[in-house]
Amino acid sequence: MHPTLAADLARLPELLQTARDFAARELSRVDERPVATAEEAPGPERLPADGVGAQGALDRFAQRWEPGFSGSAGPRYLGFVTGGATPAALTGDWLTGAYDQNGSSGGGSTSDALERETVGWLRELFGLGEAHRGAFVSGATMSNTVGLAIAREWLGERLGVSVSRAGAAALGPVTVLSGSPHSSITKALSVLGIGRDRLRPVPLLGGEREAVDVARLAEELEALDGRPAIVVANAGTVNTVDFDDLRAIAALKERYDFWLHVDAAFGAFAALSPAHASLVDGFDAADSICVDLHKWLNVPYDAAVQFTRRQDLQVRVFHNESPYLGLPTGTPDFLHLTPENSRRLRALATWFSLTAYGREGHAEIVERCAALARRLGEGISAVPGLRLLAPVHLNVVCFTLADRPTAERLAAVARAVADSGEAFLTPTVLHGTPALRAAFSNWRTTEEDTDRVRDALARAVRGLPAPESV
Ligand SMILES: *Cc1c(COP(=O)(O)O)cnc(C)c1O
């Protein structure tokens, strides 16, 4: 054994304790850390010929890289939809590395059964029926990709071809209909050989709404004249967290032949809140479903879950073929279900958080985030120079400048807020109007944090250059 490696092995408990102390110190002040950093990345170094050992590596990391890391796990990072890591989730994540199980199959370990138990818990958490089967993947993009891959195989079934054998070209042009899909949907269509341009946008309800107009969707389906299609319903859009009417869309299946995929990356969590659960009415009727976990469940990156009613088709797409084995039957090993073959046991962090806090603990995070979003929405309405672009439906506040809301001026506001170290918000465009959005999904965020964000925004708006006099 290399002497440095041998020395590290000899003092492994001590090294882990040092790493633990380091992480504990940093996490105890995560809410003081600048929410986004303006630090330049350090210049590249050469590959070490002789290593410095784990302690030396920790010292180098602390010196060279750690200062530039953001406080995105903290309570006032409201960009994208981010989330942090609950204490139990972090514990599970550490142990995932420590045990280093290969989640590809059951061979010699019960870890795959732990993943199945966890997927079952998630199914229950989101109110899905037993017909849905699932697996862990690395994020909602991958979950959408898996769902649409199963949809693609289903189109083949309807048209009498095997896409997994003959390729996507055997389908001819595919129609994918959606109102306000996330950018990961077109990415998935590109990866799957369906093609980004096959997404046909369906008109929305109008006004500030981002939900699809179901009557227009029905017209699009009617025009297909019986050809099967894919419908992507959106349960929680990123700008305003608007929800398609899932029940009404599912009802169209009685008349038209389509696969219903629901992207509920973070909107699925509405199911945990009695006040908001009606937003996901009809969820269970989907053929495939995407839910992110590293967002609102607050487990560390990278984790999401995919569900489908047609695991048989999923196996056709993803089975790891060997010359002497046919299609897996019964309960397929995970390597026959996901793009990965060897896989991290990423279910463990979720298992820990659900075991530690249960449905009620996670529901509290959802309820609190929704209440804080409402609070910020009210706060922003009272800040001179800002106005809401849509009502706060769930956990995102979408707003703009009352006066000349150009992309440049909004970027200047976002930059000033980020430079103050107080908060981080991301820009967007809603129906042509440049805007900012503040997304609440972190388990740590409090009312005090929310008021600090409002104050930072008010200061940034006051600091904008005055209009040029003519
Ligand atoms: C975040 C998000 C995605 C993509 O999720 P990743 O985990 O970043 O891959 C897809 N759909 C929606 C609605 C999202 O909010």
Side-chain angles (χ1 to χ4, degrees):
M1 196 183 283
H2 187 284
T4 319
L5 191 57
D8 273 2
L9 175 59
R11 52 191 290 258
L12 184 59
E14 192 187 321
L15 285 169
L16 291 177
Q17 189 60 42
T18 309
R20 192 216 73 95
D21 293 346
F22 185 88
R25 195 170 55 244
E26 290 312 315
L27 276 180
S28 70
R29 55 187 188 212
V30 68
D31 57 350
E32 294 154 36
R33 206 180 176 87
V35 170
T37 170
E39 292 267 335
E40 293 259 329
E45 274 187 2
R46 300 182 70 86
L47 169 71
D50 273 313
V52 290
Q55 180 64 58
L58 183 60
D59 295 342
R60 297 263 170 108
F61 167 73
Q63 180 215 335
R64 291 187 67 223
W65 292 105
E66 194 272 343
F69 279 23
S70 76
S72 60
R76 290 183 313 284
Y77 187 98
L78 308 182
F80 313 100
V81 179
T82 300
T86 65
L90 184 58
T91 307
D93 194 63
W94 279 359
L95 294 179
T96 306
Y99 282 93
D100 198 22
Q101 304 289 286
N102 186 349
S104 66
S105 63
S109 171
T110 57
S111 64
D112 67 322
L114 181 142
E115 177 163 344
R116 279 193 197 91
E117 173 170 278
T118 313
V119 169
W121 287 355
L122 289 167
R123 182 173 62 196
E124 195 181 329
L125 190 70
F126 301 123
L128 300 173
E130 299 267 319
H132 279 284
R133 296 286 142 87
F136 273 73
V137 288
S138 57
T141 299
M142 200 45 90
S143 178
N144 280 328
T145 304
V146 170
L148 292 173
I150 306 168
R152 186 186 61 177
E153 197 67 21
W154 173 84
L155 285 175
E157 184 180 75
R158 302 302 294 157
L159 299 172
V161 293
S162 164
V163 177
S164 72
R165 293 266 147 222
L171 291 173
V174 170
T175 301
V176 184
L177 299 166
S178 191
S180 303
H182 185 265
S183 53
S184 58
I185 296 296
T186 41
K187 181 171 175 170
L189 296 178
S190 166
V191 169
L192 293 169
I194 293 175
R196 294 177 190 261
D197 293 350
R198 300 312 304 170
L199 180 87
R200 193 179 305 165
V202 181
L204 308 178
L205 283 176
E208 94 290 336
R209 297 296 304 272
E210 292 185 292
V212 74
D213 182 336
V214 179
R216 301 297 294 275
L217 175 63
E219 284 169 22
E220 295 280 352
L221 288 164
E222 182 76 38
L224 293 176
D225 221 10
R227 266 188 81 80
I230 300 172
V231 171
V232 177
N234 304 294
T237 58
V238 287
N239 281 332
T240 65
V241 203
D242 208 348
F243 286 73
D244 286 351
D245 184 340
L246 301 179
R247 195 175 284 290
I249 294 173
L252 293 177
K253 285 186 143 211
E254 283 168 24
R255 279 187 282 151
Y256 307 108
D257 200 18
F258 63 93
W259 178 274
L260 177 55
H261 175 77
V262 178
D263 180 357
F266 64 96
F269 287 82
L272 277 68
S273 157
H276 298 99
S278 64
L279 293 170
V280 286
D281 266 355
F283 199 29
D284 184 57
D287 297 296
S288 56
I289 289 173
C290 153
V291 185
D292 229 334
L293 302 171
H294 53 218
K295 289 177 178 168
W296 221 348
L297 195 74
N298 282 268
V299 300
Y301 295 105
D302 45 13
V305 64
Q306 59 76 218
F307 293 104
T308 184
R309 295 172 164 275
R310 291 295 307 274
Q311 201 172 61
D312 59 319
L313 294 178
Q314 183 171 2
V315 167
R316 279 198 228 161
V317 180
F318 291 104
H319 83 278
N320 205 19
E321 202 167 44
S322 51
Y324 45 90
L325 294 174
L327 280 183
T329 52
T331 306
D333 284 337
F334 285 108
L335 84 168
H336 299 305
L337 296 174
T338 57
E340 302 85 3
N341 185 52
S342 297
R343 332 163 45 240
R344 174 179 176 77
L345 183 64
R346 46 174 70 80
L348 192 55
T350 294
W351 186 93
F352 260 83
S353 207
L354 291 175
T355 300
Y357 314 117
R359 177 198 295 276
E360 290 306 317
H362 279 280
E364 190 278 331
I365 296 174
V366 172
E367 301 274 17
R368 174 155 42 92
C369 287
L372 295 176
R374 269 197 311 277
R375 183 182 181 93
L376 184 66
E378 285 157 18
I380 281 174
S381 302
V383 169
L386 290 179
R387 69 180 179 92
L388 291 186
L389 271 179
V392 177
H393 298 298
L394 190 58
N395 62 327
V396 174
V397 188
C398 187
F399 60 98
T400 193
L401 288 163
D403 177 35
R404 292 170 301 139
T406 61
E408 294 70 31
R409 279 163 56 82
L410 282 153
V413 173
R415 208 175 321 111
V417 170
D419 288 349
S420 74
E422 282 285 279
F424 186 77
L425 312 176
T426 39
T428 189
V429 177
L430 183 69
H431 306 314
T433 305
L436 292 179
R437 45 188 292 294
F440 289 81
S441 55
N442 191 294
W443 65 283
R444 288 175 177 267
T445 314
T446 63
E447 291 190 346
E448 192 200 330
D449 289 313
T450 307
D451 295 347
R452 279 174 66 175
V453 174
R454 177 205 56 206
D455 294 345
L457 274 166
R459 279 195 300 277
V461 173
R462 280 201 302 275
L464 279 175
E468 280 165 36
S469 41
V470 227

